[in-house]
């Protein structure tokens, strides 16, 4: 089994020994331009030259959950694209979203300001029924997030392409379910994959349908949000705050207006990181299953784009 490894922003000196230890039967090499065609690849945002040269891949394993950076006509139709399923990311997403939600609900930003002024000021408790949380995308990560939010007693709703039943979550689906989902949501969490259907789905029109004083938590992809629509919605009070982990351009440019807006919290695409042990175990398990001719989870449907 020959495997080529081509991962941007990834420490190959750590990952290659780990993968080789997990797959001693395989030959795993670091991809470089002109390398011979391999049977399998493990990738994260590979360059176009990689696709131009690696034309005989049986499967391409993505080192993340989102495969948007891989999609396009450069992919051979005979290559399976396989994404990470959870691999430790769902718990991280649940932590991130619960922190952002509770930080807003319990008004921690206001207490931070009070502390800077040495001020001891009580605020009245807010009823959590007034903060229904809506999770867009109920897949490997979104379902975990919806369940975690429910533990704190917030009303939880979710929206997905296909109809779902999740205990404790009011589920909506497809385009006809989108408007009622938005209407009853105050804290909107985006956990959708980036596809032709979901690009720019967070915009003036959709965010205006949320309950007034809404909070946006975008932990999926920057291209889901029409960035120039955000600050006017905050100025007008339709949105109270936004917590953004992902941006159209990453790293976020130093002169981007979001940096200096105290209503916007910015983190550097870190909501759920690719974890070493979980990922090595998942990819090596799937590679072996494929070699045995077994079906594996996480094969991307190229028509749907996720
Ligand atoms: P997943 O398991 O494929 O789940 C995707 C969910 O979105 C599914 O519930 C799917 O509906 C729904 N969906 C897709 N297209 C839709 C549409 N047009 N309308 C309504 N619902 C739609 O994906 P995942 O593993 O949970 O990951 C989700 C995304 O999180 C990734 O694609 C990636 O962009 C992002 N992510 C971000 C970070 C970070 O650090 N910020 C880390 C990891 C992942 P069905 O269930 O009906 O198919
Ligand atoms: C990270 O953004 C991922 O898609 O895994």
């Amino acid at each position: 089994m020959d495997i080529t490894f081509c991962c941007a922003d990834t420490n190959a000196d750590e990952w290659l020994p780990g993968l080789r230890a997990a797959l001693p039967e395989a030959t795993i090499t670091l991809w470089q331009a002109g390398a011979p065609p391999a049977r399998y690849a493990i990738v994260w945002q590979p360059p176009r030259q990689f696709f131009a040269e690696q034309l005989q891949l049986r499967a391409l394993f993505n080192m993340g959950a989102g495969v948007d950076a891989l999609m396009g006509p450069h992919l051979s139709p005979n290559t399976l694209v396989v994404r990470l399923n959870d691999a430790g990311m769902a718990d991280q997403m649940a932590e991130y979203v619960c922190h952002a939600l509770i930080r807003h609900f319990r008004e921690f930003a206001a207490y931070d300001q009070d502390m800077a002024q040495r001020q001891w000021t009580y605020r009245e408790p807010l009823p959590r029924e007034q903060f229904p949380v809506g999770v867009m995308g109920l897949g490997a990560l979104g379902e975990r997030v919806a369940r975690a939010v429910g533990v704190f007693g917030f009303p939880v709703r979710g929206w997905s392409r296909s109809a779902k039943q999740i205990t404790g979550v009011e589920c909506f689906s497809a385009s006809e379910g989108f408007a009622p989902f938005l209407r009853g949501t105050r804290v909107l969490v985006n956990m959708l994959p980036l596809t032709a259907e979901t690009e720019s789905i967070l915009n003036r029109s959709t965010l205006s349908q949320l309950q007034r004083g809404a909070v946006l938590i975008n932990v999926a992809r920057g291209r889901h949000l029409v960035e120039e629509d955000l600050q006017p919605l905050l100025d007008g009070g339709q949105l109270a705050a936004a917590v953004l982990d992902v941006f159209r351009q990453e790293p976020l440019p130093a002169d981007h207006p979001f940096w200096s807006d105290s209503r916007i919290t910015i983190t550097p695409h870190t909501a759920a990181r690719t974890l070493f042990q979980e990922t090595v175990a998942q990819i090596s398990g799937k590679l072996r299953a494929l070699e045995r001719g077994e079906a594996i989870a996480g094969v991307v449907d190229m028509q749907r784009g996720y």
Side-chain angles (χ1 to χ4, degrees), residues 202-209 226 229 232-233:
L202 304 170
N203 56 52
R204 186 160 57 94
S205 160
T206 54
L207 296 173
S208 296
Q209 295 172 53
V226 178
D229 287 355
L233 289 165

Side-chain angles (χ1 to χ4, degrees), residues 146-215:
R147 288 185 192 280
V149 163
V151 167
F152 293 100
F154 292 95
V156 193
R157 45 215 351 261
W159 181 64
S160 52
R161 177 201 282 264
S162 58
K164 304 220 184 283
Q165 286 193 322
I166 303 172
T167 306
V169 181
E170 191 182 357
C171 292
F172 300 80
S173 60
S175 49
E176 60 274 20
F178 195 36
F181 164 78
L182 291 174
R183 254 198 318 273
T185 292
R186 177 143 176 208
V187 179
L188 185 67
V189 181
N190 178 31
M191 294 268 27
L192 290 169
L194 180 66
T195 65
E197 282 180 18
T198 66
E199 178 154 8
S200 299
I201 195 165
L202 304 170
N203 56 52
R204 186 160 57 94
S205 160
T206 54
L207 296 173
S208 296
Q209 295 172 53
L210 298 170
Q211 295 183 0
R212 195 162 171 80
V215 177

Side-chain angles (χ1 to χ4, degrees), residues 271-285:
R273 304 290 292 267
T274 297
L275 300 180
F276 177 76
Q277 282 185 350
E278 290 82 343
T279 302
V280 167
Q282 186 171 118
I283 291 179
S284 56

Side-chain angles (χ1 to χ4, degrees), residues 44 62-68 84 89 219-221 246 269 272 274:
W44 180 249
N62 188 43
M63 287 262 279
V67 292
D68 44 286
L84 285 184
M89 291 194 208
V219 280
R221 285 292 183 265
V246 287
H269 198 144
T274 297

Side-chain angles (χ1 to χ4, degrees), residues 48 70-77:
R48 285 288 177 264
L70 296 178
M71 306 309 266
H74 51 270
L75 265 178
S76 157

Side-chain angles (χ1 to χ4, degrees), residues 17-277:
L19 286 161
R20 286 175 183 139
L23 289 162
E25 70 274 33
T27 305
I28 310 178
T29 45
L30 184 62
W31 178 80
Q32 48 195 346
R39 182 167 167 81
Y40 295 108
I42 298 173
V43 300
W44 180 249
Q45 300 179 343
R48 285 288 177 264
Q49 189 174 358
F50 171 89
F51 292 108
E53 293 178 5
Q54 294 291 322
L55 298 168
Q56 293 168 37
L57 291 169
R58 178 170 182 215
L60 192 68
F61 288 84
N62 188 43
M63 287 262 279
V67 292
D68 44 286
L70 296 178
M71 306 309 266
H74 51 270
L75 265 178
S76 157
N78 302 321
T79 302
L80 290 181
V81 175
V82 186
R83 68 187 194 85
L84 285 184
N85 290 89
D86 181 356
M89 291 194 208
D91 285 348
Q92 297 177 72
M93 277 298 180
E95 290 160 1
Y96 185 104
V97 170
C98 289
H99 174 272
L101 165 66
I102 290 166
R103 183 173 163 76
H104 182 79
F105 174 65
R106 294 298 305 266
E107 303 184 88
F108 276 98
Y111 288 117
D112 285 348
Q113 283 175 6
D114 289 350
M115 187 179 156
Q117 310 286 324
R118 298 172 178 246
Q119 245 176 48
W120 183 275
T121 312
Y122 287 113
R123 285 178 176 71
E124 288 305 314
L126 300 169
R128 65 193 66 218
E129 311 78 70
Q130 289 179 12
F131 287 81
V133 178
V135 181
M136 299 167 81
L138 293 170
L141 307 184
E143 179 174 347
R144 173 77 179 89
V145 166
R147 288 185 192 280
V149 163
V151 167
F152 293 100
F154 292 95
V156 193
R157 45 215 351 261
W159 181 64
S160 52
R161 177 201 282 264
S162 58
K164 304 220 184 283
Q165 286 193 322
I166 303 172
T167 306
V169 181
E170 191 182 357
C171 292
F172 300 80
S173 60
S175 49
E176 60 274 20
F178 195 36
F181 164 78
L182 291 174
R183 254 198 318 273
T185 292
R186 177 143 176 208
V187 179
L188 185 67
V189 181
N190 178 31
M191 294 268 27
L192 290 169
L194 180 66
T195 65
E197 282 180 18
T198 66
E199 178 154 8
S200 299
I201 195 165
L202 304 170
N203 56 52
R204 186 160 57 94
S205 160
T206 54
L207 296 173
S208 296
Q209 295 172 53
L210 298 170
Q211 295 183 0
R212 195 162 171 80
V215 177
L216 171 66
I217 302 175
N218 186 17
V219 280
R221 285 292 183 265
R223 278 164 55 200
H224 284 129
L225 173 66
V226 178
E227 289 186 348
E228 54 275 25
D229 287 355
L230 184 67
Q231 285 171 305
L233 289 165
L234 288 162
D235 293 341
Q238 167 57 15
L239 293 185
V243 179
L244 307 177
D245 185 53
V246 287
F247 302 87
R248 286 191 175 248
Q249 188 181 341
E250 294 179 3
L252 189 65
D255 61 354
H256 197 287
F258 288 176
W259 283 115
S260 50
D261 191 326
S262 61
R263 302 163 300 184
I264 302 175
T265 301
I266 293 168
T267 52
H269 198 144
T270 195
R273 304 290 292 267
T274 297
L275 300 180
F276 177 76
Q277 282 185 350

